[in-house]
Amino acid sequence: MTMLQPKAIFAIVLVFIGCCSNVVFLELIIKEFPSAGNIVTFSQFAFVAAEGFVNYFKFGKTKPAIPIKHYVTQVAIFFITSVVNNYALNFNIPVPLHMIFRAGSLIANMVLGVIILKRKYKLSKYIAVLMITVGISTCTIASANQIGKETQLKSETGDPWYDFVMWLIGIGMLVFALLMSARMGIYQEELYTKYGKQPKEALFYSHALPLPVFIFLASDIYSHSVMFSQTEPLFGYPKMWIYILGNCITQYLCINGVFILTTECPSLIVTLVVTLRKFVSLLFSILYFRNPFTIYHWMGTCLVFLGTLLFVDFVSMFKQIFSTEKQKTQ
């Protein structure tokens, strides 16, 4: 079997450590402040942009390879997707379900690929999409039943139907973010085909350009900043700020690892690594935080995972690798 290069192995380690630990910090924040989505998003954007300004942009000395106008369009999609994804947590969306929806990005990419790029796929791809769709639907229905039961006991408003409607809005937000994310992927593909791959540049501009837009969320961000500053200390500082710092650092490690991996490995391996990371993060979130997870959730999760493996043609990929290795030894 072909050995991965040290840089690729390092990137995979970054992805698993960064992304999986990021889920821990996100859950620690959301457990205490369910409406903290905006401050989490702003902190991530500011942290990644600051790092890119120093290490990539060289304090304004580096000229972009791709025209800024294209980044503005890309950033608009990216910003809306990030804000909607995080804000959906305010609408009775549990973190495991949130993660499963985001793991279903292959579905959205396939649908928009057929509609926009007029692509055609093998039968196995459509079967995989069906498996993933059924898996997400199973988890959604199971969570709906769970919300219906829990709101009778823990409804903040005293109206279970209102909480259920809020949950439906959250589901709609996740679907919207899923489609927007897929559209951004197609747009990026078109840009990279024309101008070449510019991962560090794209990472910097996608986080730096949206920062002024956060002025519209300033009051919410400020109010949460005040509340965060009043939390009990951890290592001599308010613990929520420690969690935010941990969330930003791990988010950067995760994104940086993915971008390194795209330059070192075929796209199938990148997709497989990201898929496995999402599955491991899901299991860790459930086991560590003891989130409610029924047999239906497990069935749905397995369908999403197995469907994704079928989509990336996992078996054929390894057959090809072993075939190449066999030819080398002959």
Side-chain angles (χ1 to χ4, degrees):
M1 181 174 173
T2 303
M3 297 296 293
L4 291 173
Q5 296 298 318
K7 194 172 183 179
I9 295 175
F10 173 70
I12 292 174
V13 172
L14 278 183
V15 170
F16 275 89
I17 293 179
C19 298
C20 293
S21 54
N22 180 261
V23 173
V24 175
F25 285 108
L26 176 62
E27 185 112 13
L28 287 171
I29 296 169
I30 297 302
K31 284 283 187 180
E32 295 200 31
F33 294 91
S35 60
N38 289 331
I39 192 172
V40 170
T41 306
F42 171 73
S43 301
Q44 292 175 351
F45 273 62
F47 185 90
V48 176
E51 188 280 335
F53 184 76
V54 175
N55 293 322
Y56 160 73
F57 203 49
K58 306 299 181 184
F59 298 96
K61 297 179 181 179
T62 303
K63 293 183 179 180
I66 299 176
I68 294 295
K69 64 179 181 180
H70 294 301
Y71 281 119
V72 171
T73 301
Q74 180 180 328
V75 158
I77 301 174
F78 182 78
F79 177 77
I80 293 172
T81 300
S82 297
V83 171
V84 171
N85 258 323
N86 283 330
Y87 201 65
L89 293 168
N90 297 357
F91 291 82
N92 292 333
I93 299 295
V95 170
L97 180 60
H98 185 268
M99 294 165 58
I100 291 170
F101 253 91
R102 299 185 73 170
S105 58
L106 286 175
I107 305 172
N109 275 294
M110 186 178 193
V111 171
L112 293 187
V114 171
I115 296 174
I116 297 175
L117 301 178
K118 309 300 180 183
R119 287 177 174 168
K120 296 181 180 180
Y121 299 94
K122 297 188 300 183
L123 178 61
S124 61
K125 303 292 186 184
Y126 291 102
I127 294 175
V129 166
L130 179 62
M131 291 175 64
I132 296 171
T133 303
V134 172
I136 290 179
S137 299
T138 301
C139 290
T140 302
I141 294 171
S143 291
N145 292 333
Q146 177 186 322
I147 288 291
K149 293 177 181 179
E150 290 186 356
T151 51
Q152 292 179 6
L153 299 175
K154 300 189 291 184
S155 171
E156 296 182 2
T157 64
D159 186 350
W161 282 107
Y162 175 82
D163 291 324
F164 181 72
V165 170
M166 290 296 100
W167 176 83
L168 288 178
I169 293 174
I171 293 296
M173 293 172 69
L174 291 178
V175 172
F176 173 78
L178 198 62
L179 293 175
M180 290 290 286
S181 179
R183 183 64 186 94
M184 184 181 70
I186 292 176
Y187 189 71
Q188 284 178 327
E189 184 177 337
E190 294 170 342
L191 288 179
Y192 291 159
T193 299
K194 184 176 181 180
Y195 298 100
K197 291 187 176 182
Q198 307 292 336
K200 289 291 184 181
E201 180 179 298
L203 183 62
F204 168 69
Y205 282 108
S206 63
H207 287 78
L209 290 178
L211 288 178
V213 182
F214 281 100
I215 192 68
F216 298 106
L217 305 173
S219 60
D220 180 70
I221 294 172
Y222 176 75
S223 63
H224 279 86
S225 298
V226 173
M227 290 188 287
F228 281 14
S229 299
Q230 296 172 348
T231 56
E232 60 187 47
L234 180 66
F235 305 120
Y237 298 92
K239 68 176 183 179
M240 295 310 298
W241 287 118
I242 299 295
Y243 294 160
I244 283 288
L245 178 61
N247 181 267
C248 291
I249 293 174
T250 53
Q251 175 72 5
Y252 172 76
L253 292 177
C254 175
I255 292 177
N256 195 36
V258 171
F259 275 103
I260 294 174
L261 201 59
T262 58
T263 62
E264 297 294 321
C265 299
S267 59
L268 287 179
I269 295 180
V270 176
T271 305
L272 178 61
V273 170
V274 173
T275 301
L276 289 174
R277 188 278 303 171
K278 290 174 180 177
F279 190 67
V280 171
S281 296
L282 175 64
L283 292 179
F284 188 86
S285 174
I286 294 164
L287 296 175
Y288 185 82
F289 291 100
R290 298 180 181 179
N291 284 309
F293 224 65
T294 67
I295 184 63
Y296 299 106
H297 286 90
W298 282 114
M299 290 170 57
T301 302
C302 289
L303 282 171
V304 170
F305 180 64
L306 294 175
T308 303
L309 291 183
L310 179 61
F311 188 96
V312 299
D313 214 355
F314 180 79
V315 175
S316 296
M317 180 180 68
F318 271 86
K319 282 183 178 179
Q320 183 179 359
I321 292 175
F322 280 114
S323 176
T324 303
E325 185 66 25
K326 186 176 179 180
Q327 290 176 2
K328 290 181 179 180
T329 57
Q330 289 180 350

